C-alpha cells in the first residue's frame, strides 16, 4: 500500500507541471493574438484623409461568389500601340525642365468632343501658374483630331495616356461589341447570346460602359501606374473636356489644399466648383465644406488608397456613371460624411450641353455654334480665397445617397470583372495577391 501511495505523487507533480506548461503556452498565444489584433486594427482604422501614407490599406476582394476573368482581354494591335504611347516621357520638358516644388498635377480626361476640348485647352492656357505643373491628358480610346489638339499644347509639360482596353479600341470583341452579344432586352437562353442584363433587363452598351471603365482605369493608372506620379504626395486635380477653367483656379486650389489640413482636417478633397453644376457660388465671406462635386475635384494619395480599397463596391454596383457610383456606394461605405473644401466663388464651370457620347459626328457638334460665352471677371483672375475665413458645413445635401439602386447599364459580368482587373493591375504580382510597394 505504501508503494502504491507514493506512485501517484510523481504523476500528480508531472501533471501539474504539464498543466502549468499548457497554461503558460495558452497565455502566450492569447497575448500574441491580442498584439496581432491590435496591430491589425491600427493598420485599418479610419485614418485622416490628410495623412500622407496608408500602405496597409490594401484592396480586399472576395471572389468566392464571382467568376473573375483570369486575364485582361487579348490586346489588339492598336491596344498594344497605345500602351507603348503611355510609356513616352512628357513633352515640353525643354521649355519647362522643372516642376514647382509644391505643384498640383492636373489630369484632363477626354473622349471625342474636339470643339469642347479646344475650349478647355484655351482656358487652361490662361491659368496663372499652369507652366509650373504637369498636365496629363487621359484619352478614352484614340481619336486623331483630339490627339492633334493635345499635341499643340505648349504652355506646360504634357503627358498623354490612352485607355488600351477602351471599348472604342475593340470594335469586334469585348470590351467592345462581340458578334454574339445580347442586345437590348434579349433573353440570353432563347437567343443563345452572351451577356448579363442589368437590374432593368437591359444588356450592356459599350459606348455607355466606357464612361465608368475609362474613369476607373485612369484613376488606377494615374495614381499607381506612372513614373511621373509615383513620388507625388500632394493633390491631383481632375477635370473633363467640358470644364472651363478660370485663370485663378490653380492658385486657388493651392491655397485650398494648404488650408484643408488646418481648417477642415476631415475634408477628403478640395473642389474648384460647387457640387451643384448650375451654381456659380454664394459669394459669402467663408469657405464651404460640402459633398464632393464632379467638376474640378482634387485629392491626395491617402484618399485614393481609401477609394481603392472599395474596388468591389465600385465595380459591382449597377450604375454606369462613375460619379453616381461614388456618391451612392463608395463614399457612404467610408462610415461618415465625405466633405470637400471649396471657395464661395467658382473657379471652374461645366459648359457641356449634351452627353459624353454626343457632340461629334456628321450632323455637327453639340455646342453653342462652337463658342462658349463665359464671363471672366477681374476677381476670377486672382486668388480670392481668404485664409482667415471660417468653414461653413453644408448639411442635408441633396443628391444620390446610400440605398440608391443605380440607373443600371452595368449588369454584365464581364464589365464588372474587367473593372476589378483594373483595380489590381498595378498592385498584384502573383495570384496570392501581394501588394507591390509604391509609396
Amino acid at each position: 500500500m505504501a508503494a502504491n501511495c507514493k506512485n501517484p505523487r510523481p504523476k500528480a507533480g508531472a501533471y501539474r507541471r504539464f498543466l502549468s506548461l499548457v497554461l503558460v503556452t495558452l497565455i502566450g498565444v492569447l497575448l500574441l493574438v491580442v498584439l496581432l489584433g491590435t496591430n491589425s486594427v491600427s493598420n485599418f482604422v479610419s485614418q485622416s484623409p490628410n495623412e500622407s501614407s496608408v500602405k496597409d490599406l490594401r484592396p480586399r476582394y472576395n471572389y468566392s461568389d464571382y467568376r473573375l476573368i483570369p486575364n485582361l482581354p487579348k490586346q489588339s494591335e492598336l491596344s498594344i500601340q497605345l500602351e507603348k504611347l503611355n510609356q513616352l516621357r512628357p513633352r515640353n520638358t525643354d521649355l519647362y525642365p522643372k516642376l514647382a516644388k509644391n505643384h498640383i498635377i492636373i489630369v484632363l480626361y477626354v473622349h471625342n468632343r474636339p470643339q469642347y476640348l479646344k475650349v478647355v485647352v484655351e482656358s487652361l492656357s490662361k491659368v496663372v501658374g499652369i507652366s509650373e505643373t504637369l498636365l496629363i491628358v487621359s484619352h478614352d480610346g484614340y481619336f486623331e483630331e483630339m490627339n492633334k489638339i493635345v499635341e499643340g499644347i505648349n504652355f506646360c509639360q504634357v503627358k498623354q495616356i490612352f485607355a488600351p482596353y477602351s471599348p472604342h479600341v475593340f470594335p469586334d470583341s469585348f470590351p467592345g461589341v462581340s458578334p454574339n452579344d445580347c442586345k437590348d432586352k434579349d433573353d440570353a437562353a432563347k437567343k443563345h447570346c452572351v451577356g448579363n442584363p442589368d437590374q432593368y433587363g437591359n444588356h450592356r452598351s459599350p459606348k455607355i460602359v466606357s464612361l465608368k471603365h475609362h474613369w476607373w482605369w485612369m484613376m488606377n493608372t494615374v495614381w499607381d501606374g506612372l513614373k511621373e506620379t509615383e513620388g507625388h504626395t500632394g493633390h491631383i486635380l481632375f477635370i473633363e473636356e467640358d470644364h472651363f477653367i478660370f485663370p485663378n483656379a490653380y492658385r486657388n486650389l493651392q491655397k485650398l489644399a494648404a488650408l484643408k489640413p488646418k481648417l477642415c482636417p476631415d475634408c477628403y478633397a478640395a473642389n474648384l466648383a460647387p457640387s451643384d453644376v448650375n451654381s456659380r457660388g454664394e459669394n459669402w465671406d467663408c469657405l464651404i465644406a460640402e459633398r464632393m462635386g464632379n467638376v474640378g475635384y482634387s485629392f491626395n494619395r491617402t484618399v485614393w488608397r481609401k477609394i481603392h480599397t472599395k474596388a468591389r463596391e465600385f465595380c459591382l454596383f449597377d450604375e454606369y456613371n462613375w460619379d453616381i457610383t461614388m456618391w451612392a456606394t463608395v463614399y457612404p461605405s467610408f462610415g461618415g460624411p465625405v466633405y470637400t473644401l471649396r471657395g464661395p466663388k467658382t473657379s471652374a464651370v461645366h459648359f457641356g450641353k449634351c452627353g459624353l457620347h454626343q457632340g461629334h459626328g456628321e450632323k455637327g457638334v453639340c455646342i453653342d455654334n462652337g463658342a462658349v460665352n463665359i464671363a471672366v471677371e477681374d476677381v476670377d483672375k486672382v486668388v480670392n480665397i481668404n485664409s482667415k475665413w471660417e468653414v461653413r458645413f453644408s448639411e442635408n445635401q441633396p443628391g444620390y445617397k446610400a440605398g440608391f439602386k443605380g440607373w443600371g447599364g452595368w449588369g454584365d459580368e464581364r464589365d464588372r470583372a474587367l473593372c476589378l482587373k483594373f483595380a489590381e493591375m498595378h498592385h498584384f504580382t502573383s495570384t496570392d495577391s501581394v501588394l507591390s510597394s509604391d509609396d
Side-chain angles (χ1 to χ4, degrees):
M1 291 294 295
N4 291 336
C5 288
K6 291 179 180 178
N7 283 337
R9 290 182 179 178
K11 291 182 180 179
Y15 184 70
R16 283 195 296 270
R17 287 194 296 272
F18 175 75
L19 285 178
S20 299
L21 180 61
V22 170
L23 183 60
V24 170
T25 302
L26 286 174
I27 292 173
V29 171
L30 286 173
L31 285 173
L32 182 60
V33 169
V34 170
L35 288 173
L36 289 175
T38 302
N39 289 335
S40 178
V41 171
S42 65
N43 284 339
F44 288 95
V45 71
S46 179
Q47 301 188 34
S48 166
N50 292 309
E51 292 181 19
S52 60
S53 177
V54 281
K55 288 184 180 180
D56 292 316
L57 288 179
R58 306 184 182 192
R60 290 291 186 258
Y61 308 129
N62 179 9
Y63 296 137
S64 60
D65 61 342
Y66 198 76
R67 289 184 293 145
L68 180 66
I69 55 175
N71 296 299
L72 291 166
K74 183 179 180 181
Q75 288 186 276
S76 63
E77 183 177 343
L78 175 57
S79 177
I80 294 171
Q81 290 301 316
L82 293 183
E83 283 212 307
K84 290 180 179 179
L85 291 177
N86 293 346
Q87 306 306 314
L88 295 178
R89 295 183 58 198
R91 290 194 304 275
N92 300 332
T93 53
D94 55 332
L95 301 175
Y96 312 99
K98 292 185 178 181
L99 302 175
K101 183 178 180 180
N102 296 319
H103 68 282
I104 295 176
I105 294 173
I106 302 174
V107 176
L108 168 62
Y109 49 107
V110 303
H111 174 57
N112 186 24
R113 294 181 291 183
Q115 289 284 14
Y116 281 19
L117 182 58
K118 290 176 183 177
V119 173
V120 69
V121 167
E122 176 64 20
S123 71
L124 282 171
S125 71
K126 299 177 181 178
V127 169
V128 178
I130 190 69
S131 63
E132 301 175 5
T133 190
L134 168 67
L135 173 65
I136 299 174
V137 182
S138 181
H139 296 262
D140 184 16
Y142 183 85
F143 303 97
E144 185 59 36
E145 189 173 358
M146 299 290 285
N147 182 55
K148 286 183 179 179
I149 294 171
V150 177
E151 287 182 341
I153 296 175
N154 61 4
F155 48 77
C156 66
Q157 286 191 23
V158 181
K159 179 178 178 65
Q160 288 176 270
I161 56 175
F162 301 84
Y165 297 98
S166 166
H168 307 287
V169 178
F170 292 79
D172 303 314
S173 62
F174 178 84
V177 179
S178 299
N180 58 340
D181 277 352
C182 297
K183 298 177 177 61
D184 302 324
K185 292 184 179 291
D186 283 349
D187 185 316
K190 293 181 179 180
K191 291 274 190 174
H192 301 289
C193 56
V194 176
N196 313 97
D198 64 12
Q199 59 188 308
Y200 305 107
N202 299 303
H203 286 277
R204 73 186 297 266
S205 167
K207 288 185 178 181
I208 295 299
V209 298
S210 70
L211 294 165
K212 192 166 175 177
H213 278 314
H214 180 208
W215 189 86
W216 189 239
W217 173 86
M218 172 194 69
M219 282 291 172
N220 280 276
T221 300
V222 166
W223 285 109
D224 299 324
L226 299 180
K227 292 181 180 179
E228 291 79 7
T229 60
E230 62 183 359
H232 187 75
T233 58
H235 278 55
I236 295 182
L237 169 67
F238 296 90
I239 58 177
E240 296 187 46
E241 65 193 38
D242 57 357
H243 294 171
F244 184 95
I245 311 301
F246 288 165
N248 64 1
Y250 187 73
R251 295 293 186 225
N252 270 352
L253 188 60
Q254 286 181 313
K255 196 81 175 278
L256 286 169
L259 291 172
K260 184 163 65 72
K262 177 182 177 181
L263 299 182
C264 191
D266 293 329
C267 283
Y268 283 76
N271 255 84
L272 293 177
S275 60
D276 179 0
V277 296
N278 296 315
S279 172
R280 295 296 181 266
E282 302 83 356
N283 291 313
W284 296 335
D285 290 332
C286 68
L287 299 175
I288 292 90
E290 63 176 5
R291 78 164 186 171
M292 196 185 303
N294 58 6
V295 177
Y297 54 97
S298 69
F299 49 84
N300 60 22
R301 188 177 297 276
T302 300
V303 174
W304 164 244
R305 284 287 173 266
K306 198 169 181 67
I307 293 172
H308 189 258
T309 62
K310 304 298 181 179
R312 182 176 175 84
E313 287 83 349
F314 183 88
C315 291
L316 302 188
F317 186 63
D318 191 7
E319 167 61 56
Y320 70 92
N321 291 288
W322 68 264
D323 47 0
I324 297 177
T325 300
M326 295 294 290
W327 290 326
T329 185
V330 175
Y331 296 149
S333 70
F334 289 171
V338 176
Y339 286 108
T340 187
L341 188 67
R342 66 169 174 87
K345 194 176 192 315
T346 190
S347 292
V349 174
H350 176 270
F351 63 82
K353 300 294 184 182
C354 56
L356 182 61
H357 298 289
Q358 296 170 284
H360 54 88
E362 297 180 359
K363 295 183 179 180
V365 296
C366 184
I367 195 169
D368 298 332
N369 298 319
V372 174
N373 297 317
I374 297 175
V376 178
E377 304 172 358
D378 289 340
V379 69
D380 301 318
K381 300 177 182 179
V382 296
V383 174
N384 53 19
I385 300 293
N386 192 326
S387 59
K388 297 181 180 180
W389 283 341
E390 295 182 350
V391 179
R392 177 172 178 174
F393 286 80
S394 178
E395 304 290 345
N396 301 319
Q397 301 177 66
Y400 300 95
K401 295 180 175 62
F404 175 66
K405 299 300 182 182
W407 294 115
W410 194 262
D412 199 295
E413 186 177 284
R414 293 169 296 173
D415 287 314
R416 297 180 174 192
L418 179 59
C419 179
L420 288 170
K421 206 68 181 175
F422 287 159
E424 72 174 40
M425 62 183 178
H426 299 300
H427 287 266
F428 296 90
T429 56
S430 64
T431 56
D432 57 0
S433 303
V434 176
L435 178 66
S436 61
S437 60
D438 53 356
D439 284 340

